[in-house]
Structures are given as C-alpha cells and as structure tokens.
C-alpha cells in the first residue's frame, strides 16, 4: 500500500483528493499547511506528496525546498492557472510535477501513478543492489540500473526519480540528440505540449549534480535548436 500526503489549506480539496486516492487503494494523510506537511513527512513513511502552492504560514514552495533537503520522494504541486511563475519556481527547487486547478480526477490519478512507478521501480526509493546488474558508464559517471544507484568519480549522487530517468535515457544513447519533447514523452509518459521549461529545469538540476562546472558541462550538452545529448567521453 502506498502512502500519500495531501497538503492543501482548502479542506474541500483535501477531501476530494482523499476520495479519488482511497478509491484506488492508496492510504492518505492530511495536512493543511507547509509546517504540518513537514511534520507528517518526518512521522510517516510517505511515497508521494500532493502539495498546494498558496497556503498561509509556510507555503508549498518553501515546504518543498525544506523537504528536498532530506528526501527525494515525489512532490506534485497543486497550482492555479495564474501561478505559472510558481510552477517554474517549484520545479526549480525540486518538485517533480504539477497539476493545475481545477483538476480532472483522471489526470490526478494518472500523474500519481506515474510518479509512484518511477519512485518505487525506476530509481527513487532505495533498493538493495542486485547481482549481475547492468552498469552504464560514461567518463566518470556510472549508473547501476539494477541497484538504482549513480556515482560520479566514485562518489554517490542522489537523484530524484525524474532526474534518474532523464540520465538513464541519455546514458543508454550516448551521442544521440533528444528534443525536449522526446525527453518529456519518454520520461513523463505524457504529451509534450509546453514541456520546454520543465525539461530545462530538470536538466539543470542534473548538471548541478553531475558536473564539476554546470555552466560548462562536460556530459550533458545542449544542441541549440535541437535538444540535449550525452557527450561520449
């Protein structure tokens, strides 16, 4: 059973999300501001957080930043249509995805399932190393996809599920250029309309964790007007 925290200061929204998620067999926890979300994250073994952006006290952006200091569990932001800058800011500080209010229950469940799948099976949640795992290497990067671990020059690197899967895609095809749309569709499994900023934010985070000088990357290169590629080292 997956544990999901719903954090929103609107109790009707929390109640509606609770109905959608429990009907699918998820166990839910509730919080109504950022401080309560932080407390719940420390107290419970959570697998995903749905976090509203605009809340009194500690808002969703600052709460997400605090959570990212200690955990890589998926965080999906709940935003109003007018909060485009908050969406980008949220992605910048570590959110994995966002859902725009008013939301469609089918979309909510699809995004939740997608993030949980990445977290539990594709590199987010800690897993024991498997024997004879397939290790992908390029220069100082080594990715053991069986153990779901990444090292750079022998040092362990902690990646979010989205970052992990972008790196996995690029490492599997060194030298190949992927457009932002192709990256989004293969990693998020959603149509790529309006995906440029989202992909760019996650690429930047990935560079910050992999590169000695993220401003002059050695591994993940931009091909202007076309997309990104993993440079063969």
């Amino acid at each position: 059973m997956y544990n999901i925290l719903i954090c929103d200061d609107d109790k009707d929204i929390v109640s509606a999300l609770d109905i959608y998620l429990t009907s699918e067999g998820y166990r839910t926890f509730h919080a109504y501001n950022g401080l309560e979300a932080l407390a719940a994250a420390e107290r419970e073994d959570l697998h995903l957080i749905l976090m509203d952006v605009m809340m009194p006290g500690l808002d969703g952006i600052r709460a997400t930043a605090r959570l990212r200091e200690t955990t890589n569990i998926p965080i999906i932001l709940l935003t109003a249509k007018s909060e485009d800058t908050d969406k980008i800011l949220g992605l910048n500080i570590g959110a994995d995805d966002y859902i725009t209010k008013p939301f469609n229950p089918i979309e909510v469940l699809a995004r939740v399932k997608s993030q949980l799948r990445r977290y539990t099976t594709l590199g987010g949640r800690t897993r024991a190393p498997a024997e004879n795992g397939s290790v992908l290497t390029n220069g100082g990067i080594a990715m053991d996809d069986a153990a779901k671990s990444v090292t750079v020059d022998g040092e362990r690197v902690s990646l979010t599920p989205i970052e992990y899967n972008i790196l996995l895609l690029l490492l599997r095809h060194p030298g190949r250029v992927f457009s932002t749309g192709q990256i989004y569709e293969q990693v998020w499994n959603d149509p790529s309309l309006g995906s440029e900023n989202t992909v760019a934010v996650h690429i930047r985070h990935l560079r910050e964790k992999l590169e000695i000088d993220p401003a002059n990357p050695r591994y993940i290169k931009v091909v202007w007007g076309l997309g990104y590629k993993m440079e063969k080292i």
Side-chain angles (χ1 to χ4, degrees):
M1 180 182 293
Y2 295 127
N3 298 329
I4 298 176
L5 174 65
I6 307 168
C7 182
D8 196 304
D9 62 324
D10 187 326
K11 293 186 177 182
D12 289 337
I13 289 178
V14 173
S15 178
L17 288 170
D18 180 85
I19 292 171
Y20 303 154
L21 295 169
T22 55
S23 68
E24 291 292 314
Y26 299 120
R27 184 185 182 193
T28 62
F29 299 88
H30 302 167
Y32 301 98
N33 58 58
L35 289 175
E36 290 183 6
L38 295 179
E42 290 186 2
R43 185 175 63 249
E44 308 294 346
D45 180 23
L46 300 176
H47 300 89
L48 183 141
I49 297 175
L50 290 166
M51 179 83 74
D52 185 33
V53 169
M54 298 298 292
M55 293 184 292
L58 188 67
D59 62 32
I61 297 296
R62 289 184 292 166
T64 296
R66 293 268 296 275
L67 287 164
R68 277 293 171 257
E69 295 174 1
T70 58
T71 181
N72 280 334
I73 62 175
I75 299 173
I76 301 176
L77 296 179
L78 306 175
T79 72
K81 288 185 177 180
S82 61
E83 296 167 355
D84 288 338
T85 56
D86 288 329
K87 296 172 186 175
I88 299 304
L89 180 58
L91 293 171
N92 274 329
I93 53 87
D96 296 281
D97 202 354
Y98 60 83
I99 297 172
T100 301
K101 301 177 183 178
F103 40 73
N104 183 318
I106 295 176
E107 179 188 6
V108 172
L109 293 173
R111 291 184 182 275
V112 164
K113 290 176 181 178
S114 180
Q115 290 296 333
L116 285 172
R117 181 178 64 82
R118 294 187 186 96
Y119 183 54
T120 58
T121 66
L122 296 178
R125 199 165 174 84
T126 302
R127 295 164 60 92
E131 296 183 359
N132 302 319
S134 175
V135 178
L136 300 170
T137 61
N138 187 44
I141 299 175
M143 170 180 271
D144 186 338
D145 193 39
K148 305 303 177 189
S149 67
V150 176
T151 59
V152 178
D153 298 326
E155 296 292 327
R156 182 73 177 264
V157 176
S158 178
L159 302 180
T160 67
I162 292 293
E163 293 164 357
Y164 183 95
N165 285 289
I166 291 174
L167 180 60
L168 181 61
L169 174 65
L170 297 178
L171 274 178
R172 281 177 169 169
H173 306 278
R176 175 178 168 182
V177 178
F178 288 89
S179 69
T180 55
Q182 289 173 324
I183 293 173
Y184 193 90
E185 289 174 359
Q186 295 199 43
V187 173
W188 276 261
N189 294 320
D190 284 325
S192 63
L193 295 176
S195 63
E196 291 81 3
N197 286 338
T198 300
V199 172
V201 166
H202 287 285
I203 289 287
R204 191 177 78 250
H205 289 165
L206 196 51
R207 282 173 168 168
E208 289 170 352
K209 295 179 179 181
L210 301 179
E211 307 279 1
I212 295 175
D213 182 3
N216 297 286
R218 180 187 182 199
Y219 295 110
I220 301 177
K221 301 280 192 176
V222 63
V223 182
W224 295 108
L226 297 176
Y228 300 92
K229 69 174 181 176
M230 174 62 66
E231 188 77 8
K232 295 181 181 179
I233 306 297

